[in-house]
């Protein structure tokens, strides 16, 4: 393992630590050391400085049935300030542009913009599904969102209703490239959620969003029995058209 050298080498290593937390979610020092090929002591030194700078915060570790004696290791998550380093410089400009759009053209124009921006979900879902035929719909969505910079992944959830209940997965987005703007204009999040529901053919609800101060955007994806094959999205669209006609 490589120890983090003091001086000029600190900042790039610290950025690697922050990037690893961004992509993988709240992480312990041991997790980070394994991923980044650093010594635990080097990782802890960077985490201590990042804590002092307000870039990371402690999070309760995920419960585990395999945990032994003693306290569980501390997990570290990026704060809003920590995420700022990954945000594009045009956030303020984007927010100002949407304010101008709302003032001059009304909320309907903002909604139309949000829907246009979320169109990548429905456009890319069939292509990604065709390229990964063994992937679940949630896994396809994770790939689609990751391609847009959301650092998305899938987490399996316990059966809803216990044994014999409905299976579900959780779509987790560790990063949101529009979180600062979406905090003021929730239409951006709402349009994405609606697009997810359309490609799946079912209503979905986001359980948490970065835009509202949560550490990660999470969406429960129920097993609807619909495959991620492109044909399924066409069948769903036909069904909706018949219902609405």
């Amino acid at each position: 393992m490589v120890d983090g050298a003091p001086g000029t080498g600190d900042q790039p290593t610290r950025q690697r630590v922050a990037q690893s937390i961004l992509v993988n979610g709240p992480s312990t020092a041991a997790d980070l050391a394994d991923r980044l090929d650093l010594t635990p002591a080097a990782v802890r030194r960077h985490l201590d400085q990042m804590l002092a700078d307000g870039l990371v915060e402690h999070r309760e570790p995920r419960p585990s049935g395999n945990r032994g004696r003693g306290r569980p290791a501390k997990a570290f998550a990026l704060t809003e300030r920590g995420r700022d380093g990954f945000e594009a410089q045009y956030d303020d400009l984007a927010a100002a542009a949407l304010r101008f759009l709302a003032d001059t053209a009304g909320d309907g124009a903002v909604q139309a913009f949000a829907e246009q921006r979320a169109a990548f979900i429905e456009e890319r879902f069939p292509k990604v599904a065709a390229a990964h035929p063994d992937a679940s719909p949630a896994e396809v969505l994770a790939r689609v969102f990751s391609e847009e910079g959301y650092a998305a992944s899938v987490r399996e959830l316990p059966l809803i209703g216990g044994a014999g209940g409905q299976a579900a997965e959780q779509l987790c987005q560790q990063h949101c490239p529009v979180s600062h703007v979406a905090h003021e204009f929730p239409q951006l999040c709402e349009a994405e959620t609606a697009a997810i529901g359309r490609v799946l053919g079912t209503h979905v609800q986001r359980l948490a969003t970065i835009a509202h101060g949560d550490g990660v955007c999470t969406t429960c994806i129920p097993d609807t029995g619909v495959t991620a094959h492109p044909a399924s999205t066409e069948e769903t669209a036909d069904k909706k058209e018949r219902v609405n006609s």
Side-chain angles (χ1 to χ4, degrees), residues 15-210:
Q15 290 173 350
R16 291 176 60 211
V17 171
Q19 178 73 28
S20 183
I21 297 174
L22 175 73
V23 172
N24 297 282
S27 306
T28 66
D31 292 334
L32 292 162
D34 287 342
R35 289 189 211 123
L36 302 177
D37 195 26
L38 296 169
T39 64
V43 171
R44 282 193 291 270
R45 177 166 60 81
H46 287 293
L47 288 172
D48 287 344
Q49 186 58 54
M50 292 169 74
L51 276 169
D53 292 341
L55 303 178
V56 297
E57 61 186 1
H58 289 136
R59 285 285 175 87
E60 289 296 323
R62 295 175 187 170
S64 173
N66 298 323
R67 185 168 63 85
R69 294 180 178 179
R71 286 187 172 185
K74 294 179 181 177
F76 297 85
L78 289 179
T79 63
E80 184 174 349
R81 182 177 179 184
R83 291 178 184 276
D84 284 343
F86 297 94
E87 300 299 332
Q89 295 296 318
Y90 55 77
D91 274 351
D92 290 342
L93 177 62
L98 283 177
R99 290 187 205 109
F100 178 81
L101 186 63
D103 291 341
T104 57
D107 291 340
V110 175
Q111 181 64 35
F113 171 81
E115 291 174 357
Q116 182 184 57
R117 187 190 172 279
F120 74 89
I121 300 170
E122 292 173 275
E123 290 172 357
R124 297 187 185 180
F125 186 88
K127 298 175 184 177
V128 176
H132 302 277
D134 295 331
S136 69
E139 290 168 340
V140 172
L141 283 167
R143 289 179 179 274
V144 170
F145 274 96
S146 291
E147 289 173 1
E148 285 290 308
Y150 286 78
S153 61
V154 175
R155 183 184 305 164
E156 291 187 2
L157 295 176
L159 291 177
I160 299 175
Q166 183 183 17
E169 293 177 306
Q170 194 173 77
L171 176 66
C172 303
Q173 296 158 233
Q174 306 290 352
H175 177 57
C176 175
V178 297
S179 60
H180 286 71
V181 181
H183 179 74
E184 183 175 351
F185 295 95
Q187 296 96 321
L188 295 170
C189 293
E190 293 164 1
E192 289 177 4
T193 305
I196 292 173
R198 286 194 294 272
V199 297
L200 297 178
T202 185
H203 173 75
V204 296
Q205 184 175 4
R206 281 188 169 171
L207 308 178
T209 61
I210 295 171

